[in-house]
Amino acid sequence: MTNVTVIGSQWGDEGKGKIVDWLSSRADTVVRFQGGHNAGHTLVIDGTEYKLSLLPSGIVRKGKMSVIGNGVVVDPNALLDEIDRVAKKGVEISPENLKLADNAHLILPVHQAVDKAFEAARGKSSIGTTGRGIGPTYEDKVARRGIRVCDLRDKDLLKEKVERLMVHHNALLKGLGAEEITPESVMEGLNKISDEILSFACPVWKILDEAKAKGQRILFEGAQGFMLDVDHGTYPFVTSSNTVSAQAATGSGVGPKTAGYVLGITKAYTTRVGSGPFPTELEDNTGQRLGERGHEFGTVTGRKRRCGWFDAVLVRQAIKTGGIDGIALTKLDVLDGFEEIKICTGYKLDGETLDYFPAGQAEQARVEPIYETIDGWSDTTYGARSWKDLPAAAIKYVRRVEELIEAPVALLSTSPERDDTILVHDPFQ
Ligand code: GDP
Ligand code: IMO
Ligand code: MG
């Protein structure tokens, strides 16, 4: 039985939530394996919108198991608020269908304070983080001073760990001129949520092992995107986790072979939220038009997303480095009505031509895109549910994208609605 791992192949917000929700009808279990509530995944089902940040996008389907893996950093208050918000829309969420890894690390209010204080201290060179405390929590994890879900079970040990953690963070907060936080207030916050959080906690690797033994299908749901990966992305303008498919294994406690078919979710143009290089960014009317047609505003922070043409060099790099087998091309409808559409096929850097995105920060900022121009289409693709409903020029665009990125299109999305999706080949087979 094949599993599927979904990852973003650009800078996030490619439409992963919509595609995971669509694919989850074919899966038994949906697993988040990295990131946290910096993610914002929007699903639209028969006109009802669901905004998810920590809950796996399979949660809205009855009878599916949702798993938050050990690689996710979990803000317990944000998780409980989200459960409450989504449950109010009629979605059933209980310890029966939601499992939280007991070795996942917790985001505490202090992580958010440190995230914001460091961003402020960086001034003009800030990363533009979501301010959710993602980076500082992953830092604590690697530095071996983090607080995990399972620590909530032992109050004495928890108190000791929190005291040690706050010695570290209060020194930082003091140095940055921010207000210090007492260990007592941290403990008070944790005591309030610990019983409810622990009701979802378990060794999720066992749940996944049992699912595998029963021959069930697992769908791994990545957050963010390839270019935000801490190793492969536009460092330091990245998030603090690995967003590539290999992380599905370490971030949930399954072996590397379990990832199965890797589906890269790919927007038909490019967007980015936050700072950092973006070679095909359009700061003109065309960029404005893409943003308006695509409603490019962040789900989490409401920030306007930067927009630009499709960058085939970046996506090809994501495919090679991220082990992507095929893509889901989303938001094709946003390109409807453009007379001409451009695709970046290479870069110019200091008089040389590059067929890859270099690693250096200054080089990344300096590369100039080389464009190929393709005819647009005046008909609409919005809501198309079959290949034959697409204008010939739109098909030509999709075929050219496949050629340039050296990977096939498995799915095509033509609106935010769940069912406005064209299946070209089934990633589960
Ligand atoms: P994610 O973070 O990758 O899950 O993506 P987001 O949900 O943050 O952003 C994608 C946005 O585009 C959401 O508002 C979706 O409802 C919307 N969307 C997804 N697919 C399509 C599509 O094919 N066409 C259009 N017009 N909107 C889409
Ligand atoms: P989804 O899952 C787009 C960006 C932030 C910032 C950088 C670091 O919805 O695709 P962080 O708070 O993670 O330390 O911020 O990463 N970022 C995202 N951009 N989509 C996301 O998630 C993102 N999650 C983080 O804007 O530039
Ligand atoms: Mg998003």
Side-chain angles (χ1 to χ4, degrees), residues 352-378:
E352 296 210 19
T353 304
L354 294 187
D355 64 355
Y356 70 99
F357 198 41
Q361 189 181 330
E363 293 169 321
Q364 289 187 345
R366 246 185 13 256
V367 296
E368 287 172 36
I370 301 170
Y371 286 118
E372 173 177 307
T373 304
I374 292 194
D375 285 341
W377 52 91
S378 52

Tab-separated table of all heavy atoms in Angstrom, residues 352-378:
chain	number	residue	atom	x	y	z
A	352	GLU	N	27.196	35.606	-15.820
A	352	GLU	CA	27.110	34.159	-16.103
A	352	GLU	C	25.666	33.691	-16.049
A	352	GLU	O	24.839	34.310	-15.396
A	352	GLU	CB	27.905	33.389	-15.047
A	352	GLU	CG	29.359	33.717	-15.115
A	352	GLU	CD	30.228	32.559	-14.662
A	352	GLU	OE1	29.743	31.405	-14.639
A	352	GLU	OE2	31.383	32.830	-14.338
A	353	THR	N	25.399	32.557	-16.729
A	353	THR	CA	24.050	32.005	-16.677
A	353	THR	C	24.033	30.830	-15.710
A	353	THR	O	24.907	29.967	-15.756
A	353	THR	CB	23.642	31.514	-18.087
A	353	THR	OG1	23.783	32.628	-18.974
A	353	THR	CG2	22.209	31.012	-18.122
A	354	LEU	N	23.041	30.808	-14.825
A	354	LEU	CA	22.937	29.713	-13.844
A	354	LEU	C	21.657	28.921	-14.095
A	354	LEU	O	20.617	29.503	-14.391
A	354	LEU	CB	22.858	30.254	-12.421
A	354	LEU	CG	24.048	30.973	-11.813
A	354	LEU	CD1	23.775	31.258	-10.335
A	354	LEU	CD2	25.310	30.129	-11.931
A	355	ASP	N	21.739	27.591	-13.917
A	355	ASP	CA	20.517	26.774	-14.020
A	355	ASP	C	20.108	26.268	-12.638
A	355	ASP	O	19.385	25.305	-12.498
A	355	ASP	CB	20.705	25.610	-15.003
A	355	ASP	CG	21.763	24.628	-14.530
A	355	ASP	OD1	22.418	24.897	-13.494
A	355	ASP	OD2	21.930	23.581	-15.182
A	356	TYR	N	20.606	26.933	-11.586
A	356	TYR	CA	20.235	26.569	-10.216
A	356	TYR	C	20.281	27.836	-9.357
A	356	TYR	O	20.837	28.856	-9.775
A	356	TYR	CB	21.176	25.495	-9.655
A	356	TYR	CG	22.572	26.002	-9.388
A	356	TYR	CD1	22.963	26.376	-8.102
A	356	TYR	CD2	23.489	26.149	-10.425
A	356	TYR	CE1	24.242	26.875	-7.859
A	356	TYR	CE2	24.756	26.655	-10.190
A	356	TYR	CZ	25.127	27.011	-8.907
A	356	TYR	OH	26.370	27.534	-8.676
A	357	PHE	N	19.687	27.724	-8.161
A	357	PHE	CA	19.655	28.864	-7.240
A	357	PHE	C	20.843	28.727	-6.295
A	357	PHE	O	20.930	27.754	-5.538
A	357	PHE	CB	18.334	28.818	-6.464
A	357	PHE	CG	17.954	30.111	-5.794
A	357	PHE	CD1	18.122	31.335	-6.427
A	357	PHE	CD2	17.372	30.099	-4.528
A	357	PHE	CE1	17.737	32.530	-5.808
A	357	PHE	CE2	16.984	31.286	-3.905
A	357	PHE	CZ	17.175	32.498	-4.548
A	358	PRO	N	21.776	29.674	-6.317
A	358	PRO	CA	22.979	29.527	-5.488
A	358	PRO	C	22.651	29.648	-3.994
A	358	PRO	O	21.600	30.159	-3.633
A	358	PRO	CB	23.867	30.677	-5.950
A	358	PRO	CG	22.935	31.694	-6.519
A	358	PRO	CD	21.755	30.946	-7.063
A	359	ALA	N	23.600	29.194	-3.143
A	359	ALA	CA	23.324	29.159	-1.700
A	359	ALA	C	23.599	30.490	-0.999
A	359	ALA	O	22.979	30.799	0.015
A	359	ALA	CB	24.152	28.061	-1.049
A	360	GLY	N	24.528	31.279	-1.525
A	360	GLY	CA	24.951	32.499	-0.811
A	360	GLY	C	23.840	33.538	-0.726
A	360	GLY	O	23.116	33.761	-1.699
A	361	GLN	N	23.758	34.175	0.438
A	361	GLN	CA	22.694	35.159	0.664
A	361	GLN	C	22.787	36.333	-0.326
A	361	GLN	O	21.786	36.745	-0.902
A	361	GLN	CB	22.794	35.677	2.104
A	361	GLN	CG	21.628	36.524	2.538
A	361	GLN	CD	21.803	37.022	3.978
A	361	GLN	OE1	22.432	36.368	4.797
A	361	GLN	NE2	21.250	38.183	4.274
A	362	ALA	N	24.006	36.821	-0.544
A	362	ALA	CA	24.181	37.975	-1.428
A	362	ALA	C	23.903	37.571	-2.880
A	362	ALA	O	23.299	38.317	-3.645
A	362	ALA	CB	25.593	38.520	-1.283
A	363	GLU	N	24.350	36.352	-3.245
A	363	GLU	CA	24.106	35.878	-4.619
A	363	GLU	C	22.615	35.689	-4.862
A	363	GLU	O	22.096	36.033	-5.915
A	363	GLU	CB	24.819	34.544	-4.850
A	363	GLU	CG	26.334	34.659	-4.838
A	363	GLU	CD	26.986	33.292	-4.795
A	363	GLU	OE1	26.468	32.403	-4.082
A	363	GLU	OE2	28.008	33.110	-5.478
A	364	GLN	N	21.940	35.129	-3.870
A	364	GLN	CA	20.492	34.915	-4.012
A	364	GLN	C	19.769	36.239	-4.233
A	364	GLN	O	18.786	36.314	-4.957
A	364	GLN	CB	19.928	34.216	-2.770
A	364	GLN	CG	20.369	32.765	-2.668
A	364	GLN	CD	19.681	32.021	-1.535
A	364	GLN	OE1	19.089	32.615	-0.646
A	364	GLN	NE2	19.786	30.701	-1.564
A	365	ALA	N	20.279	37.276	-3.577
A	365	ALA	CA	19.623	38.579	-3.703
A	365	ALA	C	19.946	39.217	-5.055
A	365	ALA	O	19.204	40.057	-5.547
A	365	ALA	CB	20.062	39.487	-2.569
A	366	ARG	N	21.065	38.802	-5.670
A	366	ARG	CA	21.548	39.463	-6.889
A	366	ARG	C	21.114	38.800	-8.185
A	366	ARG	O	21.202	39.406	-9.246
A	366	ARG	CB	23.068	39.514	-6.840
A	366	ARG	CG	23.565	40.907	-6.736
A	366	ARG	CD	25.055	41.157	-6.780
A	366	ARG	NE	25.951	40.109	-7.194
A	366	ARG	CZ	26.712	39.401	-6.352
A	366	ARG	NH1	26.630	39.608	-5.061
A	366	ARG	NH2	27.540	38.482	-6.807
A	367	VAL	N	20.702	37.522	-8.139
A	367	VAL	CA	20.395	36.835	-9.414
A	367	VAL	C	19.242	37.540	-10.128
A	367	VAL	O	18.319	38.048	-9.494
A	367	VAL	CB	20.027	35.329	-9.234
A	367	VAL	CG1	21.185	34.544	-8.684
A	367	VAL	CG2	18.780	35.140	-8.399
A	368	GLU	N	19.368	37.573	-11.452
A	368	GLU	CA	18.287	38.175	-12.254
A	368	GLU	C	17.628	37.076	-13.059
A	368	GLU	O	18.313	36.295	-13.721
A	368	GLU	CB	18.873	39.220	-13.203
A	368	GLU	CG	19.296	40.475	-12.493
A	368	GLU	CD	20.047	41.398	-13.424
A	368	GLU	OE1	19.695	41.458	-14.615
A	368	GLU	OE2	21.011	42.025	-12.950
A	369	PRO	N	16.302	37.019	-13.051
A	369	PRO	CA	15.628	35.937	-13.773
A	369	PRO	C	15.729	36.072	-15.286
A	369	PRO	O	15.698	37.167	-15.817
A	369	PRO	CB	14.166	36.083	-13.320
A	369	PRO	CG	14.037	37.456	-12.785
A	369	PRO	CD	15.379	37.892	-12.316
A	370	ILE	N	15.860	34.928	-15.954
A	370	ILE	CA	15.767	34.880	-17.422
A	370	ILE	C	14.371	34.329	-17.711
A	370	ILE	O	14.015	33.261	-17.201
A	370	ILE	CB	16.837	33.928	-18.018
A	370	ILE	CG1	18.240	34.401	-17.614
A	370	ILE	CG2	16.682	33.809	-19.526
A	370	ILE	CD1	19.339	33.406	-17.947
A	371	TYR	N	13.608	35.058	-18.485
A	371	TYR	CA	12.217	34.656	-18.707
A	371	TYR	C	11.974	34.088	-20.094
A	371	TYR	O	12.597	34.497	-21.074
A	371	TYR	CB	11.285	35.860	-18.529
A	371	TYR	CG	11.082	36.276	-17.097
A	371	TYR	CD1	11.469	37.544	-16.665
A	371	TYR	CD2	10.476	35.416	-16.182
A	371	TYR	CE1	11.258	37.946	-15.348
A	371	TYR	CE2	10.269	35.815	-14.865
A	371	TYR	CZ	10.659	37.078	-14.455
A	371	TYR	OH	10.459	37.479	-13.166
A	372	GLU	N	10.999	33.187	-20.120
A	372	GLU	CA	10.431	32.712	-21.375
A	372	GLU	C	8.981	33.206	-21.336
A	372	GLU	O	8.337	33.139	-20.292
A	372	GLU	CB	10.493	31.186	-21.324
A	372	GLU	CG	9.820	30.488	-22.433
A	372	GLU	CD	10.036	28.962	-22.280
A	372	GLU	OE1	11.187	28.498	-22.142
A	372	GLU	OE2	9.021	28.259	-22.277
A	373	THR	N	8.498	33.725	-22.467
A	373	THR	CA	7.123	34.254	-22.474
A	373	THR	C	6.199	33.281	-23.195
A	373	THR	O	6.536	32.758	-24.258
A	373	THR	CB	7.094	35.638	-23.150
A	373	THR	OG1	8.015	36.468	-22.444
A	373	THR	CG2	5.707	36.266	-23.085
A	374	ILE	N	5.051	33.059	-22.587
A	374	ILE	CA	4.097	32.089	-23.118
A	374	ILE	C	2.768	32.807	-23.328
A	374	ILE	O	2.423	33.708	-22.551
A	374	ILE	CB	3.944	30.932	-22.092
A	374	ILE	CG1	5.254	30.161	-22.034
A	374	ILE	CG2	2.769	30.032	-22.387
A	374	ILE	CD1	5.170	28.845	-21.349
A	375	ASP	N	2.011	32.422	-24.341
A	375	ASP	CA	0.688	33.036	-24.564
A	375	ASP	C	-0.249	32.714	-23.415
A	375	ASP	O	-0.282	31.578	-22.943
A	375	ASP	CB	0.052	32.475	-25.851
A	375	ASP	CG	0.712	33.069	-27.080
A	375	ASP	OD1	1.362	34.124	-26.939
A	375	ASP	OD2	0.570	32.466	-28.166
A	376	GLY	N	-1.024	33.706	-23.014
A	376	GLY	CA	-2.038	33.457	-21.988
A	376	GLY	C	-3.328	32.947	-22.625
A	376	GLY	O	-3.335	32.545	-23.789
A	377	TRP	N	-4.413	32.932	-21.858
A	377	TRP	CA	-5.712	32.476	-22.375
A	377	TRP	C	-6.803	33.414	-21.865
A	377	TRP	O	-6.682	33.960	-20.765
A	377	TRP	CB	-5.985	31.024	-21.982
A	377	TRP	CG	-5.830	30.752	-20.505
A	377	TRP	CD1	-6.803	30.825	-19.558
A	377	TRP	CD2	-4.630	30.366	-19.809
A	377	TRP	NE1	-6.284	30.511	-18.316
A	377	TRP	CE2	-4.949	30.227	-18.435
A	377	TRP	CE3	-3.303	30.131	-20.202
A	377	TRP	CZ2	-4.010	29.863	-17.471
A	377	TRP	CZ3	-2.368	29.782	-19.230
A	377	TRP	CH2	-2.722	29.644	-17.889
A	378	SER	N	-7.810	33.604	-22.714
A	378	SER	CA	-8.877	34.523	-22.291
A	378	SER	C	-10.051	33.768	-21.669
A	378	SER	O	-10.830	34.339	-20.913
A	378	SER	CB	-9.351	35.368	-23.474
A	378	SER	OG	-9.669	34.514	-24.544
